[in-house]
Amino acid sequence: MKVCHLTSVHSYNDIRIFIKECNSLVEASHEVYLIAPNTRNKMLHGIHIHGMINPYKGRIKRILNFKEDILSEALKVDADIYHFHDPELIPVGLKLKKQNKKVIYDIHEDVPRQILTKYWIPRPLRKLISYAFEIYENQSVKKLDGLVTATPYIKKRFEKYNTNTIDVNNYPIMNELYVPSSSNCNKNNAVVYIGGISKERGSSSMVKAIGKTESTLILAGNFRDEKEEVELKMLSEWKKVNFLGYLDRKQIKGLLETALAGLVVLEPRTNFIDSLPIKMFEYMATGLPVIASNFPLWKEIIEGNNCGICVDPLNTDEIAAAIRWIKDNPVKAAEMGENGKKAIKEHYNWESESRKLQKFYEDL
């Protein structure tokens, strides 16, 4: 099949879109195209990348105008199946349907709940916009050929509007991060967090907690907000933080192999509680014990597989106590790491998810 993935927001090398989905489809012998913003045309890993320059300054102008440029490029590709990844591209998907194309909507987030937390939307308008968008999204998906969701929770929301809905979870690629055997001899006295850095993702709690331990906190990722970055770096505990900024996939693997534990202490926000953060599974794949928020779904994974400790993400004493326990109990911590790897190998890996995606395409 000739397949075209579309995004107006994500980078061309996005982990879910490019590294996982597009590469898996190439491996299944499909002809794969990817239309993505702010890159040049190129062939990479057998994928035809069509770079689109976004000339529109500001989020609102991009949402209103860039989709027409994406649609024009998509029609030039003339694919059998179009697979789009952003809510703002729903109008593009509907127009492609009018051209008798097969169209898939890949739903990464529960957007109506996410809107309620968007700082750039005036607070009095958030509930109204959230409600209006949910109605629009629910009605639109009925007209599409299929939906791919990033979590079972999102799937449950949508399958009553479109029965051809599957969840394809963001689990790690086994041969990328999985470490067959672990050793504690090269471990540094440091815990690590990878990904976007913001207060809602636990940045303040992690920094304050590390000040109550003898360990160091390593932050690998970019700040989401300049003001929050300034405020965080003014904390007295910041002196115990090693901020590395963005790392590529190879650097992340090397970092995780030498840490004591991985942190994913996101605040109890509506859009986080039923999410499946990829960083949690990447920690497990490299044999790191996980210190995670005590959300019911996460407790089921972490405590159910005995691969880490769940804590109140707003309680810095609990986070600090978990870090100290990992440091003071290296044998039991290593057992947790091995349990996490076992769970990844048996259940939470991309290889099994990619087979679901390939069958979905074939059925369509």
Side-chain angles (χ1 to χ4, degrees):
M1 288 178 281
K2 189 176 185 181
V3 178
C4 183
H5 281 245
L6 313 171
T7 178
S8 55
V9 177
H10 299 84
S11 64
Y12 77 90
N13 60 351
D14 178 86
I15 295 172
R16 178 175 176 85
I17 300 172
F18 176 77
I19 295 178
K20 292 181 177 175
E21 293 184 343
C22 287
N23 273 297
S24 294
L25 292 168
V26 167
E27 290 170 6
S29 300
H30 299 302
E31 184 181 353
V32 181
Y33 293 76
L34 170 60
I35 297 174
N38 302 323
T39 188
R40 57 183 175 81
N41 294 342
K42 53 194 157 190
M43 174 75 83
L44 197 59
H45 298 183
I47 300 162
H48 304 263
I49 298 173
H50 289 217
M52 300 287 294
I53 300 302
N54 173 18
Y56 307 104
K57 302 301 180 185
R59 187 180 284 107
I60 301 301
K61 287 184 178 180
R62 184 201 72 215
I63 292 172
L64 293 175
N65 301 303
F66 194 32
K67 61 181 180 290
E68 295 302 322
D69 298 342
I70 298 286
L71 174 62
S72 176
E73 190 69 17
L75 290 171
K76 292 177 187 176
V77 173
D78 192 26
D80 301 311
I81 294 179
Y82 288 91
H83 187 146
F84 70 93
H85 292 265
D86 310 306
E88 63 192 57
L89 294 182
I90 290 174
V92 172
L94 296 176
K95 288 179 180 179
L96 288 168
K97 274 303 302 172
K98 290 182 178 179
Q99 300 291 323
N100 295 318
K101 299 296 185 180
K102 298 286 188 183
V103 180
I104 297 169
Y105 178 21
D106 200 314
I107 308 167
H108 300 196
E109 307 281 354
D110 185 0
V111 178
R113 256 52 64 189
Q114 196 180 50
I115 288 172
L116 297 174
T117 68
K118 294 293 187 183
Y119 68 89
W120 53 272
I121 300 175
R123 189 177 295 273
L125 295 178
R126 291 178 194 173
K127 283 189 177 181
L128 178 61
I129 294 173
S130 172
Y131 177 74
F133 180 79
E134 183 158 11
I135 293 174
Y136 170 70
E137 189 175 39
N138 291 345
Q139 294 303 311
S140 297
V141 298
K142 295 176 181 178
K143 304 171 186 177
L144 303 176
D145 296 285
L147 309 178
V148 173
T149 70
T151 70
Y153 172 79
I154 300 174
K155 176 189 174 186
K156 187 175 180 181
R157 178 193 150 201
F158 281 100
E159 56 190 355
K160 56 180 171 286
Y161 301 106
N162 189 319
T163 55
N164 194 27
T165 299
I166 64 166
D167 58 298
V168 176
N169 302 290
N170 275 334
Y171 297 152
I173 301 170
M174 284 284 291
N175 62 9
E176 182 190 27
L177 291 175
Y178 185 79
V179 179
S181 60
S182 315
S183 171
N184 287 324
C185 59
N186 295 320
K187 297 288 185 181
N188 297 322
N189 183 17
V191 293
V192 65
Y193 169 87
I194 57 173
I197 303 169
S198 66
K199 182 181 182 300
E200 64 182 12
R201 288 172 171 77
S203 60
S204 178
S205 294
M206 289 188 291
V207 172
K208 290 177 181 178
I210 206 66
K212 301 176 182 181
T213 75
E214 299 300 318
S215 302
T216 300
L217 170 64
I218 301 175
L219 295 179
N222 294 324
F223 279 91
R224 298 295 181 95
D225 182 87
E226 289 184 9
K227 182 181 177 183
E228 284 188 8
E229 179 178 2
V230 171
E231 291 174 350
L232 198 66
K233 290 180 177 180
M234 290 178 65
L235 294 175
S236 60
E237 296 89 350
W238 182 258
K239 62 181 179 291
K240 300 192 69 177
V241 175
N242 182 7
F243 173 53
L244 301 180
Y246 175 82
L247 300 182
D248 63 29
R249 304 297 291 164
K250 185 176 180 181
Q251 291 171 315
I252 285 173
K253 182 178 180 181
L255 173 63
L256 297 184
E257 287 177 351
T258 60
L260 290 175
L263 294 172
V264 53
V265 287
L266 279 60
E267 292 187 352
R269 310 257 179 139
T270 306
N271 55 316
F272 289 153
I273 290 173
D274 292 295
S275 67
L276 291 173
I278 186 173
K279 62 178 66 66
M280 181 165 71
F281 298 103
E282 291 180 339
Y283 298 155
M284 292 165 63
T286 48
L288 279 188
V290 181
I291 299 173
S293 302
N294 57 358
F295 306 153
L297 177 60
W298 297 12
K299 288 183 70 173
E300 181 181 333
I301 296 168
I302 301 301
E303 295 182 354
N305 290 287
N306 189 25
C307 60
I309 302 171
C310 290
V311 297
D312 178 351
L314 302 179
N315 188 325
T316 57
D317 288 334
E318 280 194 27
I319 299 171
I323 295 171
R324 290 195 298 267
W325 189 92
I326 296 291
K327 173 68 171 63
D328 295 340
N329 296 274
V331 175
K332 291 182 179 179
E335 289 175 0
M336 285 181 171
E338 291 300 319
N339 291 338
K341 290 194 297 182
K342 182 172 182 283
I344 293 294
K345 186 174 183 179
E346 294 178 355
H347 303 292
Y348 308 112
N349 60 78
W350 174 253
E351 284 71 10
S352 61
E353 298 302 298
S354 68
R355 288 191 289 273
K356 288 163 59 176
L357 181 65
Q358 289 166 17
K359 185 177 185 304
F360 186 72
Y361 268 74
E362 290 160 6
D363 291 345
L364 192 64

